[in-house]
Amino acid sequence: MDNNEELNAEQRIIDAAADVFEENGFDGARMQQIADKAGINKALLHYYFRSKDLLFEKVFLIVAERIFAGFIKAFEEKGTIFQKIELFVTKHQELLYKNRRFPIFFFNEISRNPMLMKKLVAKLEFNNRFKNLFIQLEEEKKAGIIRQDVDVRHLMINIVSLSVFPYIGRPVIKEIMSDFGFSYEQFLEERKSVVANFVINSIKA
Amino acid sequence: MDNNEELNAEQRIIDAAADVFEENGFDGARMQQIADKAGINKALLHYYFRSKDLLFEKVFLIVAERIFAGFIKAFEEKGTIFQKIELFVTKHQELLYKNRRFPIFFFNEISRNPMLMKKLVAKLEFNNRFKNLFIQLEEEKKAGIIRQDVDVRHLMINIVSLSVFPYIGRPVIKEIMSDFGFSYEQFLEERKSVVANFVINSIKA
DNA sequence: TCTACATTTGACCAATTGGTTAAACCAATA
DNA sequence: TATTGGTTTAACCAATTGGTCAAATGTAGA
């Protein structure tokens, strides 16, 4: 259960804290549990990070930054808009599958303390990350490849919604799928192609 | 702040608890805060509901049942599949707008304790609520109105994803929208028509 | 080896929290 | 009016929790 003994204490604390916070949320997490998982004394947590709040903020930003970086990278692939969407959705699914507990944790904590989002944005600088995508979409609109009424903002949120929601609503979808005689895992697998097709069908002229 | 003094203590407790739990989550909620909001002594909470766990479960199921009932009702409207989708999306948006804090609360608590979902399903009996929709979709497929490759399960999840996610990701979307020079409220308003069109475009033959 | 400094620990603390209890209150009824 | 039963309260409790502190341990350089 304890992390690699080779790493220094500070890194072991961060790893352990990420795990415990992601599993239990800020309010549900216990400093003692983090200390145990890191294999150190509880006082050492405060030696390195002063308080639960500061430890949480540091860990939250580290984890969120890592995952968002992966998310954003998938935006920067080359190709037609349809190819981009396909690649983008596939990459997101893989990333999400490897970090299944992250979405509900992230959105819950952000909702509890929206200031975290400001701090995350400051670290990510994704202000003009979407500029290229925006330009490309306008071009493909003019070329008659995609519908005139497509709105970049809504399109982006739509893609993310379709990718992320199944992980947020995992227990709900699990229940519904079993009603239909399917497994949740199978549903996720199918979704890799379904979502891309769904989006493409909805925007192509 | 305190609820209607006319109501009996039990109901006042339920209302107050719903509010406090929805705002802070189970772990973040305090029995004292619930008692204060209900205008009663803390001991009375235990007199009526024994423990925090039992109070939470009762309140959670009451609130979730009420909202899911509204959700499901929107499924049972008459009309073509396109009309249904339009009506369905619009009704959901209104319901969600009135219960903005519910989605993130609901999915977080369900994620923390999936057994709640089982109990909710048992109360709702929505096993065969979707049968009609399923049949209608197959018919419209045969009639060549919608695409052959449409899958009811994915379509349903897609619709819900597109409707619900903007409420779960509120602070995130708020941030992104302000980058684009738009307000979150405006974005939600636009979405009423955008989502329906998006879905319809993606499934029509 | 001695010293200075960072690291780590066990023991401890004050505050908070969910929960209990015995007594008080109050309305109905005999 | 006296009694009974449900309702409500103040006071209290044990356990947990985030956090502190002085002492111990390790370690690199003089």
Side-chain angles (χ1 to χ4, degrees), chain B residues 146-158:
Chain B
I146 65 172
R147 302 172 57 92
Q148 293 300 313
D149 60 357
V150 170
D151 182 314
V152 209
R153 297 170 301 139
H154 286 280
L155 177 59
M156 271 174 38
I157 301 296
N158 289 349

Side-chain angles (χ1 to χ4, degrees), chain A:
Chain A
M1 191 58 66
D2 51 339
N3 294 315
N4 196 339
E5 290 290 336
E6 305 301 315
L7 294 173
N8 61 27
E10 191 168 354
Q11 190 56 51
R12 291 214 315 280
I13 291 173
I14 289 174
D15 292 347
D19 212 48
V20 173
F21 280 131
E22 205 168 51
E23 185 68 30
N24 306 102
F26 178 83
D27 289 326
R30 297 289 161 250
M31 294 296 267
Q32 187 60 59
Q33 193 185 349
I34 293 171
D36 291 346
K37 188 159 269 181
I40 49 129
N41 187 286
K42 184 164 67 90
L44 207 56
L45 294 181
H46 293 91
Y47 175 75
Y48 279 111
F49 300 95
R50 301 238 332 251
S51 70
K52 188 184 181 184
D53 283 270
L54 287 175
L55 172 59
F56 176 81
E57 183 173 314
K58 195 141 217 168
V59 166
F60 179 86
L61 289 177
I62 288 172
V63 173
E65 194 181 9
R66 179 171 53 77
I67 292 187
F68 269 70
F71 239 73
I72 289 171
K73 220 178 71 187
F75 260 119
E76 293 163 346
E77 303 285 341
K78 302 284 174 199
T80 68
I81 193 75
F82 296 146
Q83 287 173 327
K84 272 191 182 177
I85 289 172
E86 219 156 313
L87 231 130
F88 179 70
V89 169
T90 312
K91 292 230 165 176
H92 276 196
Q93 296 291 339
E94 284 164 13
L95 189 64
L96 287 164
Y97 196 81
K98 280 186 209 144
N99 299 278
R100 270 172 274 197
R101 295 177 313 172
F102 178 75
I104 189 65
F105 163 72
F106 173 79
F107 288 107
N108 193 49
E109 298 301 334
I110 282 284
S111 179
R112 202 179 53 84
N113 177 13
M115 196 56 71
L116 289 170
M117 190 62 207
K118 300 255 179 207
K119 290 179 182 170
L120 183 60
V121 169
K123 282 184 88 178
L124 284 173
E125 317 167 357
F126 64 30
N127 292 0
N128 46 15
R129 295 268 188 175
F130 307 123
K131 282 275 162 61
N132 291 337
L133 195 75
F134 188 84
I135 292 165
Q136 182 172 10
L137 259 149
E138 292 304 320
E139 282 170 1
E140 310 224 358
K141 250 191 228 180
K142 279 187 192 128
I145 296 169
I146 64 172
R147 302 172 57 93
Q148 292 299 314
D149 60 358
V150 170
D151 182 313
V152 209
R153 298 170 301 137
H154 286 281
L155 177 60
M156 270 175 39
I157 301 295
N158 289 349
I159 293 174
V160 174
S161 299
L162 294 167
S163 293
V164 174
F165 182 79
Y167 291 90
I168 294 170
R170 202 178 99 119
V172 180
I173 293 171
K174 216 167 189 170
E175 200 61 36
I176 294 174
M177 286 308 131
S178 81
D179 269 12
F180 278 92
F182 291 85
S183 79
Y184 174 70
E185 305 292 327
Q186 188 183 346
F187 177 77
L188 284 186
E189 186 56 37
E190 292 163 12
R191 228 167 150 70
K192 282 178 190 167
S193 60
V194 169
V195 168
N197 288 336
F198 188 80
V199 172
I200 290 169
N201 285 333
S202 76
I203 63 169
K204 76 177 171 204

